[in-house]
Amino acid sequence: MDNSKWITYFGSYADKQSPGIYTYVLDEQTGELSSVDTVSGLINPTFMTVSQSKGLLYSYTQADEGQDSGAVLTYRIDPQSGALSLAGQQPSSDKSATHINLDHAEQFAMTVSYSEGTINLFPIQPNGEIGPLSDKVRHEGSSVVAKRQDSAHPHSIYTDPTDQFVMVPDLGMDTIKVYRLNREEGKFVSHDDVKLAPGSGPRHFAFHPSLAYAYVINELNSTLTVFAYDGQAGKLQEIQTISALPADFSGTSSTAEVQISSCGSFLYGSNRGHDSIVVFAIDKSSGKLSLVQHISTGGEHPRHFSLTPSGRSLLAANKDSDSVHVFTVDQDSGKLTPTGQVITIPQPTCVRFYKLPS
């Protein structure tokens, strides 16, 4: 597969009778997406992560009616087509996972359950498959927004650039819970609680690829918070909070995903309600953000998007309009331009890329 093409995976809300994970090929030269394969038999595989080095994709399925636990799943990626085949599964210990990620060393898979308020840790076995659960932590707490913040709701999970500390934005607590990863025992060790403004609702998180800054997108008040990050101490210090919405917007909206360009110059966030991607320039001397662009995602409720590893394209997954729209990325300004390429996928919720071996 040439350098302009990427295997592209989409997770979605789905029942067991319908496809849940979709495999496509993206041609960055044309913006065209071509269908390869689908995976059925899963309940709401809404998030995934990919190991480029191992040729594996990791996801989950939620618990079926009458079951106490869903499962975390390992799929092998076909080196010719990118199609997926199930390699293994483990009980997830939660009925409904929300997010899955790997540490940088790919020694552990980590999941969170928004509805159950838990985070889980699973060692990766020598064959790359997810092993049995080694730790589970339940968050306890609340904040000021009725219903959404009556209890803890961890929404996502990430290791820091040193691979020593784990960041868990908890929407229900208005807190980023920081853990130290005890690799020898396969445990989360509580390290710090980083409080955000009441009613913020921290959701997803991103570290700058080369500088000591980190960013969280806050779902409930549609803001982004910038932190200075001390990797040796595992400490975040807030330095800016900025709205993700236009100044004249007066409707109802919430944020979802945040990503940073591989060059470290631009940050992208999604607005659901305003139904847009917001683009910010990153000041590399301070980490602070300045507005570049708001652009429509072409559909409704962009729950997720991803930049291609090349940084030349962005794919926006519009859950409520069953569509994925393709954008080109201007390498100098960071601005997005729609290509006009659109595919239909029922309730898409996650976009991931993989490069086939040459």
Side-chain angles (χ1 to χ4, degrees), residues 27-96:
D27 185 332
E28 282 199 282
Q29 289 188 342
T30 64
E32 183 178 0
L33 283 160
S34 304
S35 179
V36 172
D37 194 22
T38 61
V39 175
S40 300
L42 308 176
I43 301 174
N44 297 336
T46 56
F47 214 82
M48 310 167 294
T49 191
V50 171
S51 168
Q52 180 68 44
S53 63
K54 292 182 171 70
L56 299 171
L57 179 145
Y58 301 96
S59 189
Y60 48 75
T61 180
Q62 296 183 1
D64 208 342
E65 187 174 353
Q67 293 181 330
D68 292 330
S69 173
V72 287
L73 311 167
T74 306
Y75 286 94
R76 200 159 303 282
I77 299 172
D78 185 278
Q80 302 299 318
S81 68
L84 301 175
S85 58
L86 184 64
Q89 61 181 14
Q90 291 286 344
S92 65
S93 88
D94 289 316
K95 291 184 177 181
S96 58

Side-chain angles (χ1 to χ4, degrees), residues 1-20:
M1 182 169 289
D2 66 48
N3 289 333
S4 68
K5 294 185 178 180
W6 296 93
I7 299 297
T8 309
Y9 299 103
F10 301 99
S12 68
Y13 281 103
D15 58 31
K16 294 178 72 172
Q17 287 68 49
S18 306

Side-chain angles (χ1 to χ4, degrees), residues 298-310:
E300 300 175 11
H301 198 94
R303 183 180 172 90
H304 196 254
F305 65 85
S306 276
L307 294 156
T308 54
S310 70

Side-chain angles (χ1 to χ4, degrees), residues 9 27 30 43 56 63 110 133 176 213 255 264 273 275 283 318 320:
Y9 299 103
D27 185 332
T30 64
I43 301 174
L56 299 171
M110 305 169 290
L133 179 77
I176 299 170
Y213 303 114
T255 62
D275 294 335
D283 185 316
N318 296 299
D320 288 357

Side-chain angles (χ1 to χ4, degrees), residues 138-208:
R138 186 176 301 278
H139 287 187
E140 301 288 345
S142 60
S143 194
V144 299
V145 177
K147 296 183 180 179
R148 294 301 307 277
Q149 294 188 313
D150 290 347
S151 62
H153 293 301
H155 214 304
S156 56
I157 189 164
Y158 313 80
T159 53
D160 78 333
T162 73
D163 228 12
Q164 298 181 75
F165 298 101
V166 179
M167 309 290 151
V168 184
D170 193 303
L171 181 148
M173 298 172 65
D174 284 325
T175 300
I176 299 170
K177 300 280 290 184
V178 183
Y179 296 89
R180 183 174 58 81
L181 181 56
N182 183 328
R183 295 179 177 277
E184 292 73 24
E185 298 182 13
K187 301 291 183 183
F188 294 117
V189 179
S190 183
H191 179 73
D192 196 17
D193 287 356
V194 182
K195 298 293 186 181
L196 285 91
S200 298
R203 179 185 171 98
H204 282 195
F205 192 94
F207 283 100
H208 193 280

Side-chain angles (χ1 to χ4, degrees), residues 194-265:
V194 182
K195 298 293 186 181
L196 285 91
S200 298
R203 179 185 171 98
H204 282 195
F205 192 94
F207 283 100
H208 193 280
S210 59
L211 302 174
Y213 303 114
Y215 303 82
V216 68
I217 195 162
N218 301 305
E219 177 177 337
L220 299 183
N221 68 0
S222 295
T223 63
L224 287 125
T225 299
V226 183
F227 300 95
Y229 182 61
D230 183 337
Q232 287 191 323
K235 296 290 185 180
L236 294 163
Q237 181 179 356
E238 182 177 342
I239 55 178
Q240 182 192 25
T241 293
I242 188 170
S243 177
L245 293 166
D248 60 355
F249 179 75
S250 59
T252 300
S253 193
S254 63
T255 62
E257 174 65 348
V258 59
Q259 292 188 20
I260 298 173
S261 61
S262 57
C263 66
S265 297

